[in-house]
Amino acid sequence: MIGDPLQRRSSRPGHGVVWPESGEPLLKPDGPRTIALWNGLAIGSGAFLAAAKDFGRRLPDGAFVLNLCEDRYRFSLALVAALLWGRITLLPPDRSPWTLRCLKERFRQVVCVADRRQDDLADLDILPVDPSPFQEQGEGEAIAIAPEQTAAIVFTSGSTGQPQAHPKTWGSLIESARLIAEALGSLQGRTLVATVPPQHMYGLELSVLPALRCGAVLDARRPFFPLDVQEALESVAGPRILVTTPVHLRALTAAGITLPALDLIVSATAPLPRTLAEEAERRFRAPLWEIYGCTEAGSIASRRTAREESWQVFTGMRLLPAGDGHCVEAAHLPEPIPLNDIVELLPDGRFRLLGRRADLVNIAGKRTSLGALNHILTSLEGVLDGAFFLPDETPGCTARLVAFVVAPGVEMPALLEALRQRLDPVFLPRALYPVAALPRSESGKLPRQALQALAERLGATRGEPSVRDDR
């Protein structure tokens, strides 16, 4: 890493671009091929590089590039343009005005690249990404990037506290993509349709980097609703891979729709219940692999969730005891990185996930995790989504567990009775709050701040025992 990645800015065009023999290739060196599908067009590698170099010339000298593109092709174009011209890309955990203001204040000289000019980003310098395709220019130049060049700064999602910045070098990103491809099998020629945003570490590693370095083809769209996912998959030729989350998988299975033939389904961002994995494999006739990782370290391990409980660590990565927890270390990581999750190392080198440290709940001397409680809640018949929550302590009021649930047509007393049959009495929620939807982030996570705001709006932080219907 060159200097302090949080402050370093380059005004030299092409900074970081080196001769191929001394760096890591920008694209997989396999000749002309399709990199992306955009608006019905197949974008080849030569045209992609030409467009990226042209867009890079428009980037202001020395500026950090805040990439807010939702279109995955535009996002990739801007990311590569920044790499070619020595700019560092900022990948925010969300698009809230507060987050964007914080990034602008922290990094000072920021240019925002977006799909189009947007009113809600009026206080930022906006540079729209015009993806008008260039004519194919052969194989394109053999361009390599110095592996130590800081390519991006990603941020924690805020689910365990305030977002923290984590610089990623080009070398660490492509090694992570290689390990994923090794675990999942060849990605060559497979089209990636993803429901997760490319700004999220999982979305970057599974839907963008494989198109650059592993021979995959990215689909520019980010479908959200089940029918959108169905349409996106039907519009691309096989072989197809669906990159998604437990929230989207649950919606897809509940919708009862038919998807075209899939080679693979990949899920991440939250533990996937085995029953849901089994149902998804049966309904969509494709193997489902789950990825375990974190923003700080990237992807770490995988498992075929319908068939196994434990996780297989990627080649060259190691989980080691560290203090009262564990850390992950690997040659492509700058240092051993502590895990926020509680894990159990197994004799065969695999591991089990036991929950998150921030999720531990200790009541009357008994311990469990919010993740375990959520798993029980969402496994109940009629429950589409749900989450337990322990509000912050307030003066004169002891915090008690509450639960928010998305369960159309289900009576809350019946649901509470079903929980009573499955939970120790000390972990029964003081109240159930039926809601139309949970405040999940774009990647499907539930930041504590969002749950706290929901709890305050519904009166759950005041210890009110009555149920309020907010559907």
Side-chain angles (χ1 to χ4, degrees), residues 11-29:
S11 60
R12 285 194 292 137
H15 176 75
V17 180
V18 298
W19 292 111
E21 60 269 20
S22 61
E24 289 289 349
L26 176 62
L27 303 180
K28 182 180 180 182

mmCIF file of all heavy atoms in Angstrom, residues 11-29:
data_model
loop_
_atom_site.group_PDB
_atom_site.id
_atom_site.type_symbol
_atom_site.label_atom_id
_atom_site.label_comp_id
_atom_site.label_asym_id
_atom_site.label_seq_id
_atom_site.Cartn_x
_atom_site.Cartn_y
_atom_site.Cartn_z
ATOM 1 N N SER A 11 -2.586 12.981 -8.722
ATOM 2 C CA SER A 11 -2.970 13.837 -9.838
ATOM 3 C C SER A 11 -2.281 13.392 -11.123
ATOM 4 O O SER A 11 -2.410 14.014 -12.150
ATOM 5 C CB SER A 11 -2.593 15.300 -9.537
ATOM 6 O OG SER A 11 -1.202 15.418 -9.325
ATOM 7 N N ARG A 12 -1.527 12.281 -11.053
ATOM 8 C CA ARG A 12 -0.815 11.808 -12.235
ATOM 9 C C ARG A 12 -1.686 10.840 -13.021
ATOM 10 O O ARG A 12 -2.052 9.781 -12.515
ATOM 11 C CB ARG A 12 0.481 11.101 -11.837
ATOM 12 C CG ARG A 12 1.585 12.034 -11.414
ATOM 13 C CD ARG A 12 2.898 11.305 -11.375
ATOM 14 N NE ARG A 12 2.919 10.315 -10.311
ATOM 15 C CZ ARG A 12 3.399 9.090 -10.447
ATOM 16 N NH1 ARG A 12 3.841 8.678 -11.621
ATOM 17 N NH2 ARG A 12 3.434 8.268 -9.430
ATOM 18 N N PRO A 13 -2.048 11.151 -14.267
ATOM 19 C CA PRO A 13 -2.805 10.188 -15.059
ATOM 20 C C PRO A 13 -2.041 8.879 -15.171
ATOM 21 O O PRO A 13 -0.832 8.855 -15.382
ATOM 22 C CB PRO A 13 -2.931 10.882 -16.426
ATOM 23 C CG PRO A 13 -2.726 12.330 -16.143
ATOM 24 C CD PRO A 13 -1.753 12.381 -14.998
ATOM 25 N N GLY A 14 -2.770 7.801 -15.030
ATOM 26 C CA GLY A 14 -2.163 6.496 -15.191
ATOM 27 C C GLY A 14 -1.351 6.032 -14.011
ATOM 28 O O GLY A 14 -0.679 5.004 -14.081
ATOM 29 N N HIS A 15 -1.395 6.744 -12.891
ATOM 30 C CA HIS A 15 -0.656 6.306 -11.714
ATOM 31 C C HIS A 15 -1.115 4.909 -11.311
ATOM 32 O O HIS A 15 -2.290 4.629 -11.205
ATOM 33 C CB HIS A 15 -0.883 7.268 -10.555
ATOM 34 C CG HIS A 15 -0.230 6.828 -9.276
ATOM 35 N ND1 HIS A 15 1.113 6.931 -9.078
ATOM 36 C CD2 HIS A 15 -0.744 6.254 -8.156
ATOM 37 C CE1 HIS A 15 1.408 6.465 -7.869
ATOM 38 N NE2 HIS A 15 0.287 6.044 -7.299
ATOM 39 N N GLY A 16 -0.192 4.001 -11.113
ATOM 40 C CA GLY A 16 -0.535 2.648 -10.714
ATOM 41 C C GLY A 16 -0.579 1.681 -11.885
ATOM 42 O O GLY A 16 -0.558 0.474 -11.699
ATOM 43 N N VAL A 17 -0.673 2.173 -13.129
ATOM 44 C CA VAL A 17 -0.669 1.296 -14.293
ATOM 45 C C VAL A 17 0.771 0.940 -14.627
ATOM 46 O O VAL A 17 1.618 1.814 -14.775
ATOM 47 C CB VAL A 17 -1.353 1.984 -15.498
ATOM 48 C CG1 VAL A 17 -1.341 1.065 -16.704
ATOM 49 C CG2 VAL A 17 -2.773 2.374 -15.136
ATOM 50 N N VAL A 18 1.051 -0.352 -14.735
ATOM 51 C CA VAL A 18 2.425 -0.811 -14.913
ATOM 52 C C VAL A 18 2.482 -1.785 -16.076
ATOM 53 O O VAL A 18 1.469 -2.194 -16.635
ATOM 54 C CB VAL A 18 2.936 -1.501 -13.623
ATOM 55 C CG1 VAL A 18 2.957 -0.537 -12.463
ATOM 56 C CG2 VAL A 18 2.073 -2.706 -13.283
ATOM 57 N N TRP A 19 3.693 -2.163 -16.426
ATOM 58 C CA TRP A 19 3.856 -3.181 -17.468
ATOM 59 C C TRP A 19 3.294 -4.510 -16.953
ATOM 60 O O TRP A 19 3.407 -4.831 -15.785
ATOM 61 C CB TRP A 19 5.329 -3.336 -17.836
ATOM 62 C CG TRP A 19 5.893 -2.134 -18.520
ATOM 63 C CD1 TRP A 19 6.804 -1.261 -18.022
ATOM 64 C CD2 TRP A 19 5.547 -1.665 -19.815
ATOM 65 N NE1 TRP A 19 7.055 -0.262 -18.923
ATOM 66 C CE2 TRP A 19 6.303 -0.491 -20.047
ATOM 67 C CE3 TRP A 19 4.670 -2.113 -20.813
ATOM 68 C CZ2 TRP A 19 6.207 0.233 -21.222
ATOM 69 C CZ3 TRP A 19 4.580 -1.394 -21.994
ATOM 70 C CH2 TRP A 19 5.342 -0.238 -22.189
ATOM 71 N N PRO A 20 2.693 -5.293 -17.854
ATOM 72 C CA PRO A 20 2.034 -6.532 -17.427
ATOM 73 C C PRO A 20 2.918 -7.463 -16.612
ATOM 74 O O PRO A 20 2.446 -8.115 -15.687
ATOM 75 C CB PRO A 20 1.622 -7.175 -18.753
ATOM 76 C CG PRO A 20 1.455 -6.012 -19.694
ATOM 77 C CD PRO A 20 2.502 -5.025 -19.285
ATOM 78 N N GLU A 21 4.214 -7.549 -16.941
ATOM 79 C CA GLU A 21 5.064 -8.504 -16.227
ATOM 80 C C GLU A 21 5.339 -8.087 -14.786
ATOM 81 O O GLU A 21 5.814 -8.892 -13.983
ATOM 82 C CB GLU A 21 6.386 -8.708 -16.970
ATOM 83 C CG GLU A 21 7.218 -7.445 -17.150
ATOM 84 C CD GLU A 21 6.899 -6.737 -18.457
ATOM 85 O OE1 GLU A 21 5.814 -6.984 -19.014
ATOM 86 O OE2 GLU A 21 7.756 -5.952 -18.907
ATOM 87 N N SER A 22 5.036 -6.855 -14.410
ATOM 88 C CA SER A 22 5.336 -6.408 -13.055
ATOM 89 C C SER A 22 4.094 -6.086 -12.236
ATOM 90 O O SER A 22 4.202 -5.564 -11.138
ATOM 91 C CB SER A 22 6.243 -5.163 -13.107
ATOM 92 O OG SER A 22 5.593 -4.112 -13.792
ATOM 93 N N GLY A 23 2.918 -6.383 -12.762
ATOM 94 C CA GLY A 23 1.694 -6.103 -12.029
ATOM 95 C C GLY A 23 0.667 -7.194 -12.229
ATOM 96 O O GLY A 23 0.947 -8.230 -12.823
ATOM 97 N N GLU A 24 -0.523 -6.943 -11.723
ATOM 98 C CA GLU A 24 -1.627 -7.887 -11.862
ATOM 99 C C GLU A 24 -2.533 -7.422 -12.998
ATOM 100 O O GLU A 24 -2.989 -6.276 -13.006
ATOM 101 C CB GLU A 24 -2.424 -7.976 -10.561
ATOM 102 C CG GLU A 24 -1.686 -8.680 -9.434
ATOM 103 C CD GLU A 24 -1.570 -10.179 -9.688
ATOM 104 O OE1 GLU A 24 -2.227 -10.684 -10.616
ATOM 105 O OE2 GLU A 24 -0.808 -10.833 -8.960
ATOM 106 N N PRO A 25 -2.789 -8.286 -13.989
ATOM 107 C CA PRO A 25 -3.621 -7.871 -15.125
ATOM 108 C C PRO A 25 -4.958 -7.295 -14.675
ATOM 109 O O PRO A 25 -5.566 -7.794 -13.727
ATOM 110 C CB PRO A 25 -3.809 -9.167 -15.917
ATOM 111 C CG PRO A 25 -2.631 -10.008 -15.556
ATOM 112 C CD PRO A 25 -2.323 -9.684 -14.117
ATOM 113 N N LEU A 26 -5.385 -6.267 -15.370
ATOM 114 C CA LEU A 26 -6.674 -5.665 -15.064
ATOM 115 C C LEU A 26 -7.812 -6.613 -15.449
ATOM 116 O O LEU A 26 -8.760 -6.813 -14.700
ATOM 117 C CB LEU A 26 -6.824 -4.339 -15.808
ATOM 118 C CG LEU A 26 -8.153 -3.614 -15.669
ATOM 119 C CD1 LEU A 26 -8.410 -3.244 -14.218
ATOM 120 C CD2 LEU A 26 -8.174 -2.373 -16.543
ATOM 121 N N LEU A 27 -7.710 -7.199 -16.638
ATOM 122 C CA LEU A 27 -8.695 -8.166 -17.105
ATOM 123 C C LEU A 27 -8.042 -9.527 -17.255
ATOM 124 O O LEU A 27 -6.826 -9.632 -17.476
ATOM 125 C CB LEU A 27 -9.279 -7.728 -18.450
ATOM 126 C CG LEU A 27 -9.927 -6.352 -18.507
ATOM 127 C CD1 LEU A 27 -10.461 -6.087 -19.907
ATOM 128 C CD2 LEU A 27 -11.038 -6.226 -17.486
ATOM 129 N N LYS A 28 -8.832 -10.563 -17.177
ATOM 130 C CA LYS A 28 -8.312 -11.910 -17.394
ATOM 131 C C LYS A 28 -7.720 -11.974 -18.804
ATOM 132 O O LYS A 28 -8.398 -11.684 -19.790
ATOM 133 C CB LYS A 28 -9.431 -12.938 -17.248
ATOM 134 C CG LYS A 28 -8.941 -14.363 -17.406
ATOM 135 C CD LYS A 28 -10.062 -15.370 -17.254
ATOM 136 C CE LYS A 28 -9.512 -16.787 -17.420
ATOM 137 N NZ LYS A 28 -10.572 -17.807 -17.331
ATOM 138 N N PRO A 29 -6.432 -12.358 -18.921
ATOM 139 C CA PRO A 29 -5.754 -12.343 -20.232
ATOM 140 C C PRO A 29 -6.147 -13.553 -21.085
ATOM 141 O O PRO A 29 -5.364 -14.465 -21.314
ATOM 142 C CB PRO A 29 -4.268 -12.385 -19.839
ATOM 143 C CG PRO A 29 -4.249 -13.118 -18.538
ATOM 144 C CD PRO A 29 -5.529 -12.743 -17.826
#
